[in-house]
Amino acid sequence: MREYLLTLCVAAAVTYLLTGPVRKFAIAAGAMPPIRARDVHREPTPRLGGIAMFGGLCAGLLVAAHLTNIGDVFSQSNEPRALLSGAGLIWLLGVLDDKWGVDALVKLGVQMIAAGVMVFQGLTILWLPVPGVGPVALTPIQSTLLTVALVVITINAVNFVDGLDGLAAGVVCIAAIAFFMYAYRMWYGYGVEAAAPATLFSAILIGMCVGFLPHNIHPARIFMGDSGSMLIGLVLASSAISITGQVDPDAITDFTGSSRQTVHFMVPVYMPLLLPLTMIAIPAADLVLAVVRRTWKGQSPFAADRGHLHHRLLEIGHSHSRAVLIMYFWSALFAFSAVAFSVNSSSLGIVMVIVGLSALGLLVLLLPRFRPHAPQWAEAFVPPRFRRRRRRLAAAAAAAEQEMQSGEAPVLHGSTAIGDRSRLPDRRPVESRR
């Protein structure tokens, strides 16, 4: 675990430190497209954040290759090289798209080429665990088609959900944490060495997202752009492919006792191929809805619009930060529910917790204008926006400042002006009044 944490921290540190210089480079290079009709932000923001994320990926792989235990992954498997090859192609495509723009069909073609490069180097799905049947081997053609489809779908799902500050990085980070927990359990809990590459990819992906999020949270100072969204989508897909198609189910049968229990145990692994990704069910659902919506209107599936899930959350009244947090919540609910189900699928408590959290999520979703506030005794420990008294003082100060700028005298008790002596009561003695 310590080596994985070291790799994660290195990827996060390199990504975080590179993002500042990359932002300056993006501004100097003119990678700041004008505001479009579908955009949520109001000021031109530099892109090319994927350059820093790719640096974090390379740094994480480089450090992992020199560690004692994780280093065996590079000598026993060709998957890290396959990941780096495909990621390099996708990253270069994204950089070109962020700067000059690339046609949608060209992007789709390069995505398929990158997936094909990974398949050629061994990162592919070899078999599928089927409920009630067991592991089913795939032919080379079936394996290639399924792997390419999964990579392309995941890349575009993450790319489509990248519409709010910090949304794509946070959602993918949550999915990567869930993948890491599951892969680490298979690697050290069941002794399946083939799960080591997926564990490594997930740890590096967590570091890439964590290192970039401080620069990307609302209000964002830099966007990851297609160079970042497509890159983290490919790394996430590589983790899913490695843990699904490379792990031999027979290796787990020695621990579970039967093939049926093994297939049942691996449910959270093969479910991503059917949904296609349970771990990123929200981006996948957004992708499917976008394709159906645009096709129904007679538009291209790649035509941009303001019909995504995060756009709808803003339209019903949620703030930018609240919309992002809602997407985080549902992504975490899907991802960690799958992990919990793999640990104990027969537990009624897990089902009740999932149902309760779903009800809570629906309640928050239906209250877009509800502003939570902390009790008075806890106001010192929460951000200022959750302090009721601080909000009142800030509102009063803003109103007073606005009145002063408008040239009007401040108002006392809502009606009496200090400068208007005619409205003040006459406090002279009665004799002097006469």
Side-chain angles (χ1 to χ4, degrees):
M1 175 62 77
R2 289 180 297 180
E3 293 187 354
Y4 286 114
L5 290 178
L6 176 61
T7 305
L8 187 156
C9 293
V10 169
V14 172
T15 304
Y16 177 80
L17 295 176
L18 284 180
T19 304
V22 167
R23 180 178 182 273
K24 296 181 180 179
F25 169 76
I27 296 175
M32 298 177 60
I35 306 297
R36 298 164 297 185
R38 69 176 187 272
D39 290 335
V40 177
H41 60 282
R42 293 293 176 264
E43 297 180 359
T45 306
R47 297 187 179 183
L48 295 177
I51 297 179
M53 304 182 82
F54 185 73
L57 172 64
C58 295
L61 291 175
L62 181 62
V63 171
H66 292 83
L67 296 178
T68 305
N69 297 324
I70 304 181
D72 296 337
V73 174
F74 294 82
S75 59
Q76 299 175 1
S77 173
N78 201 36
E79 294 182 19
R81 299 180 184 88
L83 170 65
L84 189 58
S85 301
L89 287 175
I90 285 295
W91 172 76
L92 182 59
L93 170 67
V95 170
L96 295 176
D97 184 52
D98 289 340
K99 180 60 178 75
W100 292 286
V102 178
D103 184 73
L105 294 179
V106 175
K107 291 169 61 176
L108 180 62
V110 177
Q111 292 171 5
M112 297 175 66
I113 293 174
V117 169
M118 293 195 300
V119 171
F120 179 76
Q121 298 190 36
L123 186 56
T124 182
I125 301 173
L126 301 177
W127 46 66
L128 287 178
V130 180
V133 178
V136 176
L138 300 177
T139 64
I141 296 179
Q142 293 174 341
S143 175
T144 301
L145 292 178
L146 185 58
T147 303
V148 171
L150 179 60
V151 171
V152 172
I153 289 174
T154 308
I155 289 175
N156 287 282
V158 176
N159 191 21
F160 278 28
V161 82
D162 184 24
L164 297 179
D165 297 347
L167 181 57
V171 169
V172 173
C173 183
I174 292 171
I177 293 174
F179 265 114
F180 177 82
M181 294 172 59
Y182 185 82
Y184 185 83
R185 180 168 176 260
M186 292 185 66
W187 170 210
Y188 285 96
Y190 290 88
V192 181
E193 295 183 0
T199 311
L200 174 62
F201 298 163
S202 301
I204 295 177
L205 182 57
I206 295 172
M208 295 165 58
C209 296
V210 170
F212 185 73
L213 269 175
H215 300 274
N216 191 234
I217 57 176
H218 184 70
R221 301 179 67 249
I222 184 174
F223 294 152
M224 67 172 66
D226 284 2
S227 59
S229 61
M230 292 194 298
L231 175 63
I232 61 178
L234 182 135
V235 178
L236 184 60
S238 301
S239 302
I241 291 169
S242 178
I243 202 172
T244 304
Q246 298 292 322
V247 175
D248 188 358
D250 293 336
I252 307 177
T253 304
D254 298 336
F255 295 88
T256 57
S258 66
S259 299
R260 286 192 174 184
Q261 292 182 3
T262 299
V263 173
H264 187 66
F265 169 80
M266 295 186 69
V267 163
V269 180
Y270 67 77
M271 281 180 67
L273 300 176
L274 304 177
L275 287 181
L277 277 174
T278 300
M279 299 299 181
I280 53 169
I282 298 300
D286 192 20
L287 171 64
V288 173
L289 292 175
V291 172
V292 173
R293 179 179 64 254
R294 295 167 185 174
T295 306
W296 184 266
K297 294 180 179 179
Q299 301 175 349
S300 170
F302 300 99
D305 58 11
R306 288 183 59 90
H308 292 287
L309 295 178
H310 50 271
H311 288 140
R312 296 182 180 274
L313 290 175
L314 296 177
E315 290 175 357
I316 64 177
H318 290 289
S319 64
H320 190 290
S321 300
R322 181 184 287 270
V324 172
L325 292 177
I326 289 176
M327 298 286 282
Y328 284 178
F329 173 83
W330 285 108
S331 299
L333 182 61
F334 278 98
F336 292 108
S337 296
V339 175
F341 183 74
S342 69
V343 175
N344 189 357
S345 59
S346 60
S347 175
L348 180 61
I350 294 177
V351 177
M352 297 303 296
V353 170
I354 295 174
V355 172
L357 291 176
S358 300
L360 177 62
L362 290 174
L363 179 63
V364 175
L365 186 64
L366 297 176
L367 295 175
R369 293 175 177 81
F370 171 71
R371 295 184 177 180
H373 61 273
Q376 187 175 0
W377 58 269
E379 287 189 351
F381 306 98
V382 297
R385 63 178 178 272
F386 297 119
R387 303 174 188 174
R388 178 187 296 179
R389 181 180 177 185
R390 186 66 59 85
R391 288 204 306 266
R392 291 177 182 171
L393 295 177
E401 183 179 359
Q402 184 178 5
E403 291 180 358
M404 293 294 293
Q405 293 177 353
S406 62
E408 298 178 358
V411 178
L412 296 178
H413 304 292
S415 60
T416 305
I418 295 178
D420 190 357
R421 296 294 181 179
S422 61
R423 296 186 180 183
L424 293 176
D426 192 352
R427 300 185 181 276
R428 292 176 298 170
V430 179
E431 292 80 1
S432 61
R433 293 181 194 175
R434 297 176 182 174

